[in-house]
Amino acid sequence: MPSLAKAYVALIAAFATAVLVVVASRWNPENLGHFVLFFALAMVASAMKIRLPGLKTTISTNFVFVLIGIALFSFGETVLIGLGGALVQSFWKAQQRAKPVQVLFNGACLTVCSAAAFWASHSALAMLGLNSLTAVMVLGACVYVVLNTGLVSLVISFAERQSLKNIWPQCYEWTFPYFLVGAAVAGLASTAGHGTNLGMTLLVVPVMYLVYLYYRMHIIRAVLLTISNVSRENEDLLAGSPQGR
């Protein structure tokens, strides 16, 4: 890995460490039983991951639980959901053994993204005098998506020495529909479970599993179509080339 990429990973890890220090100093869950159950389901969701075509990265349904955590749980609980999801996503059925630097970046990235989304959707709105669950979810989702795709695209740009303006649109193109549907599901689940009805919130698991299956098939079809088009173009080139004697 290039020195610039290593320095970037170290910087994100430093930010994540600072966030975790704050979490440890302010840890005070309101309902530990609810959080443990929700955290366990979030880790199950993190195992439902999809590898993005052309990019050495994956996405999972864990971000939906991060968004719900922003609405229903505390800062520390939300951050732990993001961090735990990153670790599961790194190790669960990985095609190749994850390198320590990759695990470090994944954990640090989702820690920072979860913390930033929570802060923006609570502190920033509080400063503006807004107290709306819809505003919390929309702002939290926007911050999480932009920051997550940006941080991941930047590390790929540094590691592979490619232009960020080429990497980021590609990452955003594949992830935005998935994030959009997930954010809508998270919003509905948060509204249903905003009181004491946590059971309604937990229904997000089977719903997101169906979304995961559909999006996975969509990516597989897109990849197969690309391969088919490339093969057809190669056949046309061979058919049009002069034949040797």
Side-chain angles (χ1 to χ4, degrees):
M1 178 178 286
S3 299
L4 185 58
K6 292 180 180 179
Y8 172 71
V9 172
L11 179 62
I12 301 302
F15 279 121
T17 301
V19 169
L20 293 177
V21 169
V22 174
V23 169
S25 63
R26 299 182 179 180
W27 178 254
N28 186 25
E30 295 181 1
N31 191 321
L32 186 58
H34 281 182
F35 171 68
V36 170
L37 175 60
F38 191 81
F39 182 85
L41 291 174
M43 297 309 99
V44 173
S46 300
M48 295 186 288
K49 59 184 181 179
I50 300 173
R51 180 168 295 277
L52 301 180
L55 299 172
K56 296 179 180 179
T57 185
T58 60
I59 57 174
S60 74
T61 58
N62 178 66
F63 76 95
V64 177
F65 287 82
V66 172
L67 296 181
I68 296 175
I70 290 173
L72 302 183
F73 292 96
S74 67
F75 174 78
E77 291 168 321
T78 303
V79 169
L80 288 184
I81 291 171
L83 174 58
L87 297 179
V88 172
Q89 196 171 327
S90 296
F91 290 110
W92 179 259
K93 292 186 177 180
Q95 293 183 352
Q96 297 178 346
R97 185 176 180 179
K99 298 179 180 179
V101 67
Q102 293 174 325
V103 177
L104 175 63
F105 177 78
N106 290 340
C109 178
L110 291 196
T111 296
V112 171
C113 291
S114 302
F118 189 98
W119 178 85
S121 58
H122 285 276
S123 300
L125 290 177
M127 288 188 291
L128 296 175
L130 298 177
N131 185 20
S132 167
L133 180 61
T134 301
V136 167
M137 297 299 297
V138 171
L139 184 55
C142 290
V143 171
Y144 186 91
V145 171
V146 173
L147 191 58
N148 181 264
T149 55
L151 293 179
V152 171
S153 299
L154 193 54
V155 76
I156 294 175
S157 175
F158 288 150
E160 300 183 1
R161 294 186 173 90
Q162 298 185 35
S163 173
L164 178 62
K165 67 179 182 180
N166 294 329
I167 297 294
W168 200 348
Q170 184 180 1
C171 182
Y172 194 78
E173 177 184 4
W174 282 112
T175 58
F176 181 73
Y178 198 57
F179 279 130
L180 184 63
V181 174
V185 173
L188 294 174
S190 299
T191 302
H194 195 59
T196 58
N197 193 3
L198 185 63
M200 290 296 296
T201 304
L202 301 183
L203 290 178
V204 70
V205 178
V207 173
M208 284 310 301
Y209 181 69
L210 295 177
V211 174
Y212 156 78
L213 290 179
Y214 173 81
Y215 200 68
R216 183 179 180 182
M217 291 303 301
H218 170 70
I219 288 181
I220 291 175
R221 285 196 298 268
V223 172
L224 292 177
L225 180 60
T226 301
I227 295 174
S228 176
N229 290 337
V230 171
S231 299
R232 191 178 298 111
E233 290 176 359
N234 291 336
E235 291 175 358
D236 292 341
L237 288 174
L238 290 175
S241 62
Q243 301 294 321
R245 294 181 180 180

